[in-house]
């Protein structure tokens, strides 16, 4: 919703409450969802920290349901460490573990993580297939919260293939859905991608007019990568 600092404050309180309760399930639950929020903020260091703590709880108390969910994050961390092939193998283990535990929720977000690994491996067409699968899953399950980001990443993939018209259409879809959902964070990220795309086409004024109002809407979180990227792009646009 565009309030990352408030999310961080809830992080701290939720972890404190879970630890004070000394309840394994609550602790795993809290650490996992905090990792998701850190992932949304592109805070890889914090994701890695939470997932390490999360895995320790799962190992200690034997929590197969939560462990199955955490494998996708372990795969993402391997990718960030420059080991995307190992990450993809780990991700496939997570797919099997989730199936064994009959887990289908959060799959669109997990497929975004898989697409990142495929992108790192240069497998652009496979990444496009994975993004399409994510959109199919969200349509089937009605879990639509990742739809704007799925469309935005599809746009990035099209752009990398010089399919400019399809890239712009995907970015526009991402913006429209984010606005409909009132998901300011996804809206910002989609606007950055589209503005950068227009910058490459010398549509500087249009890019500035799109991104400026969205960036100026924010009142907190200016230390996050997304807002820093938006600010740098605006400065580059003049």
């Amino acid at each position: 919703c565009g309030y990352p600092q408030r999310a961080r404050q809830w992080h701290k309180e939720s972890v404190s409450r879970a630890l004070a309760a000394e309840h394994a399930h609550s602790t795993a639950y809290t650490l996992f969802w905090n990792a998701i929020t850190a992932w949304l903020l592109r805070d890889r260091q914090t994701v890695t920290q939470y997932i390490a703590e999360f895995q320790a709880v799962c190992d200690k108390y034997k929590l197969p349901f939560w462990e199955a969910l955490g494998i996708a994050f372990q795969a993402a961390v391997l990718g960030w460490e420059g080991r995307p092939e190992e990450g993809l193998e780990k991700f496939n283990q997570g797919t099997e573990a989730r199936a064994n535990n009959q887990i289908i929720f959060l799959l669109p977000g997990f497929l975004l993580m898989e697409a990142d690994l495929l992108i790192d491996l240069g497998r652009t067409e496979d990444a496009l297939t994975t993004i399409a699968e994510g959109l199919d899953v969200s349509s089937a399950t009605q879990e639509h919260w990742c739809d704007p980001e799925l469309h935005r990443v599809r746009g990035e993939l099209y752009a990398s293939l010089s399919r400019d018209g399809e890239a712009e259409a995907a970015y526009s879809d991402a913006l429209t859905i984010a606005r409909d959902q009132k998901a300011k964070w996804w809206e910002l990220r989609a606007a950055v991608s589209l503005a950068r795309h227009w910058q490459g086409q010398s549509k500087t004024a249009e890019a500035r007019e799109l991104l400026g109002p969205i960036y100026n809407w924010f009142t907190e979180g200016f230390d996050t990568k997304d807002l820093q990227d938006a600010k740098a792009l605006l400065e580059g646009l003049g």
Side-chain angles (χ1 to χ4, degrees):
C1 292
Y3 302 102
Q5 189 56 42
R6 298 185 203 184
R8 288 169 173 160
Q9 291 168 358
W10 281 104
H11 277 186
K12 293 178 181 178
E13 183 172 348
S14 64
V15 172
S16 296
R17 289 189 180 198
L19 293 175
E22 297 182 348
H23 185 254
H25 175 81
S26 297
T27 302
Y29 180 97
T30 301
L31 291 170
F32 178 79
W33 285 102
N34 285 352
I36 284 185
T37 307
W39 170 67
L40 293 175
L41 295 174
R42 296 166 67 193
D43 184 351
R44 292 179 173 182
Q45 182 177 351
T46 301
V47 172
T48 303
Q49 173 192 332
Y50 277 134
I51 286 301
E53 295 174 11
F54 169 85
Q55 188 59 48
V57 172
C58 291
D59 290 344
K60 182 176 180 180
Y61 296 103
K62 311 301 181 188
L63 303 173
F65 174 87
W66 289 109
E67 187 168 17
L69 284 169
I71 295 174
F73 278 104
Q74 295 172 15
V77 169
L78 286 169
W80 300 337
E81 293 174 347
R83 300 151 65 190
E85 193 70 56
E86 293 176 56
L88 196 57
E89 291 177 7
K90 176 66 74 173
F91 187 88
N92 291 335
Q93 293 173 19
T95 300
E96 182 178 353
R98 291 193 304 274
N100 290 339
N101 285 274
Q102 300 183 350
I103 301 170
I104 61 170
F105 79 112
L106 296 179
L107 184 54
F110 291 150
L111 289 169
L112 280 167
M113 297 179 190
E114 183 183 16
D116 280 343
L117 292 167
L118 292 167
I119 290 167
D120 288 344
L121 290 166
R123 294 168 55 179
T124 305
E125 292 294 342
D126 288 338
L128 277 168
T129 299
T130 299
I131 293 299
E133 181 184 353
L135 289 166
D136 287 343
V137 169
S138 72
S139 179
T141 63
Q142 300 298 300
E143 185 181 349
H144 289 294
W145 68 283
C146 282
D147 283 7
E149 184 67 354
L150 286 163
H151 282 284
R152 188 195 70 82
V153 173
R154 173 180 272 176
E156 297 284 276
L157 290 165
Y158 283 147
S160 73
L161 296 171
S162 299
R163 294 161 63 174
D164 290 345
E166 291 166 290
E168 184 162 337
Y171 294 144
S172 296
D173 287 342
L175 266 175
T176 298
I177 297 168
R179 287 168 176 165
D180 287 345
Q181 293 181 347
K182 296 182 173 56
K184 299 300 290 189
W185 202 251
W186 291 143
E187 182 182 354
L188 173 73
R189 199 175 289 182
V192 167
S193 289
L194 182 54
R196 190 176 286 126
H197 183 72
W198 281 345
Q199 183 186 37
Q201 298 176 333
S202 299
K203 297 179 179 178
T204 305
E206 293 94 328
R208 188 169 54 245
E209 289 169 8
L210 168 68
L211 185 56
I214 298 171
Y215 177 80
N216 291 331
W217 178 91
F218 284 86
T219 58
E220 62 183 61
F222 295 103
D223 60 332
T224 61
K225 186 164 178 55
D226 283 295
L227 281 164
Q228 289 174 347
D229 286 352
K231 181 181 179 181
L233 180 55
L234 278 170
E235 291 174 349
L237 293 169

